[in-house]
Amino acid sequence: MAWILFLDDERSPEQFDIRDTQGIRIVVCRGVSAAKYEVLERGLPCEMWLDHDLGMDDSQNTSDSIQFLKWLRWNLGDQFVPRWTIISHNPIGQERIMHFMQDWEKSFHAR
């Protein structure tokens, strides 16, 4: 079943102009662990809205969406690359996400 991952430790989808989800459920995850759990339960999302800085994880270590994306690509990245939107206000974080996702897309389509 298709679903949309919204990965942000503070904000909610209502704060963004997410239009026409065609009835696809948006699942909000506040951190890497929650996002991994949802992927394991639901499968690869059809779309991802990604913040970069995700605050502290369960072990009180700083976490970011790149940690999740690396896990996702390693574990399920051979299926397809989800559509993605960067919602981070951190310019360096935006660049990191963009480069990671573009590399994933390039390597996926080169197979």
Side-chain angles (χ1 to χ4, degrees):
M1 182 145 158
W3 66 288
I4 297 169
L5 170 65
F6 186 91
L7 182 55
D8 193 311
D9 62 322
E10 296 177 348
R11 296 168 295 176
S12 64
E14 294 78 23
Q15 294 175 265
F16 296 88
D17 191 18
I18 302 176
R19 296 182 190 182
D20 194 22
T21 63
Q22 300 173 349
I24 298 172
R25 182 172 181 191
I26 299 172
V27 177
V28 177
C29 295
R30 299 297 183 197
V32 173
S33 296
K36 287 179 180 179
Y37 173 83
E38 293 297 338
V39 167
L40 292 172
E41 289 293 310
R42 300 172 186 277
L44 200 57
C46 63
E47 186 172 344
M48 301 183 295
W49 288 64
L50 303 164
D51 183 23
H52 181 266
D53 305 306
L54 300 174
M56 301 295 238
D57 65 14
D58 298 335
S59 303
Q60 297 303 306
N61 298 311
T62 57
S63 67
D64 60 50
S65 61
I66 296 296
Q67 294 167 304
F68 167 71
L69 291 172
K70 286 179 180 178
W71 174 88
L72 185 64
R73 182 176 176 182
W74 178 258
N75 289 283
L76 298 170
D78 61 337
Q79 294 179 21
F80 65 93
V81 181
R83 290 186 312 267
W84 50 280
T85 301
I86 300 170
I87 56 174
S88 178
H89 292 296
N90 175 338
I92 294 170
Q94 290 172 358
E95 287 289 318
R96 289 185 70 212
I97 294 170
M98 184 179 65
H99 289 298
F100 184 89
M101 292 304 297
Q102 288 174 339
D103 181 66
W104 183 3
E105 289 174 332
K106 182 179 176 183
S107 64
F108 181 82
H109 294 295
R111 303 183 303 150

